[in-house]
Amino acid sequence: MRNYGHRSCPSCPSSDAYFVYRDGHGHCFSCGYHDHGTKSIASMKKKISMEIEAVSSINTSVYTPDLPKIAVLWLKKYGISNKEISDHKLMWNLKTTSLCFPIYSGNKLVITNERYFGVEMNHPKYLTKGNKTGIMHVIGQPTNLVVLVEDFVSAIKVGRQYASVPLLGSTIPGNWLPSLCGRFSKVRVWLDSNKRLESVLEASRTSQYIPDSKAIFSDRDPKEYSDESIGELISVSVV
């Protein structure tokens, strides 16, 4: 029997608004009760420790703006232009053979999200260094609607028409919600095609701060769509 899913809330009369996640933490979408769970707390402590270590370990000397052909071809596959490569300061990690999507605070490199192109089978495809919950990196147009996506390439493409933020994952950091509320009146959560449940849950969380918050569902990841299709999928969700 699975140990996650909807169940009765331990804090209010709701019989199904409390959702337990796979890592053990739970949240009630009726009364707002939140339980971090023992596994989640341990995981959180480990994650914070790793992030603190990663911030101090970002070595800028291993990066070059000269991207190899394999990285350029991968970006071109999704329609990313040379100007966008330059504007977003994409780099190549010479040490790990990875394409780096950087986030700066002023002139300081504080977060790196890297896509691995090496040959090690057990190496993560994506690896993020730095405290990714510390900065909400908005890409694109200054619109009243923001689209939250998983990855940088999707954010760049959506950002051609709307404000977009790469989550570098599938969860919206709790400390981002007040900031979203202060900057946008509409939120759309558009995660990858295999994250429909997560999209609904994250949109529901956000709706407590911004009522006009919805999930966008698609058969493919956002970065795989043309500009026209991206515009249509977002426009339909606004109606």
Side-chain angles (χ1 to χ4, degrees):
M1 180 179 179
R2 70 180 189 180
N3 58 1
Y4 62 91
H6 287 279
R7 61 190 62 180
S8 59
C9 178
S11 180
C12 76
S14 174
S15 62
D16 61 357
Y18 185 70
F19 190 87
V20 177
Y21 293 78
R22 287 179 173 86
D23 65 0
H25 83 278
H27 182 82
C28 180
F29 293 94
S30 177
C31 71
Y33 172 78
H34 192 89
D35 179 11
H36 290 289
T38 55
K39 289 184 179 179
S40 182
I41 290 175
S43 176
M44 189 181 302
K45 287 181 178 178
K46 181 178 179 181
K47 182 178 179 182
I48 291 172
S49 175
M50 290 174 64
E51 288 177 342
I52 291 173
E53 179 183 356
V55 170
S56 61
S57 66
I58 295 178
N59 179 8
T60 57
S61 66
V62 302
Y63 295 106
T64 174
D66 299 321
L67 304 185
K69 185 176 181 180
I70 188 173
V72 173
L73 289 176
W74 183 80
L75 290 165
K76 296 294 183 182
K77 179 174 70 172
Y78 297 111
I80 302 302
S81 69
N82 291 334
K83 184 177 185 303
E84 288 168 327
I85 292 173
S86 175
D87 288 347
H88 295 284
K89 301 178 181 179
L90 305 193
M91 304 181 293
W92 182 255
N93 188 324
L94 296 165
K95 184 177 180 181
T96 64
T97 60
S98 301
L99 175 63
C100 175
F101 300 90
I103 296 177
Y104 293 86
S105 177
N107 293 321
K108 183 179 180 182
L109 179 62
V110 293
I111 301 172
T112 59
N113 175 245
E114 299 187 358
R115 203 281 187 181
Y116 182 65
F117 283 88
V119 296
E120 294 182 26
M121 296 296 294
N122 295 326
H123 194 287
K125 181 180 289 187
Y126 285 93
L127 187 63
T128 300
K129 289 186 178 181
N131 181 9
K132 68 180 183 180
T133 67
I135 296 179
M136 188 175 71
H137 186 60
V138 182
I139 293 175
Q141 302 298 321
T143 55
N144 66 341
L145 182 150
V146 63
V147 184
L148 308 179
V149 297
E150 288 192 45
D151 63 276
F152 250 95
V153 174
S154 292
I156 291 172
K157 293 191 68 172
V158 172
R160 294 169 182 171
Q161 302 176 68
Y162 295 91
S164 185
V165 176
L167 297 174
L168 307 182
S170 57
T171 303
I172 304 168
N175 63 316
W176 285 13
L177 296 175
S179 181
L180 287 169
C181 184
R183 299 179 63 175
F184 304 100
S185 59
K186 300 177 182 179
V187 174
R188 297 296 178 266
V189 181
W190 188 2
L191 304 182
D192 291 352
S193 56
N194 62 336
K195 300 285 181 59
R196 296 202 170 205
L197 174 60
E198 290 86 345
S199 297
V200 172
L201 293 173
E202 293 305 305
S204 178
R205 282 181 59 222
T206 309
S207 67
Q208 298 176 54
Y209 289 79
I210 304 175
D212 192 352
S213 298
K214 301 176 183 176
I216 295 177
F217 303 122
S218 59
D219 294 330
R220 291 177 285 162
D221 299 347
K223 62 178 174 286
E224 298 180 33
Y225 286 95
S226 66
D227 289 348
E228 182 180 4
S229 295
I230 287 172
E232 289 175 354
L233 285 163
I234 296 173
S235 295
V236 168
S237 77
V238 177
V239 177

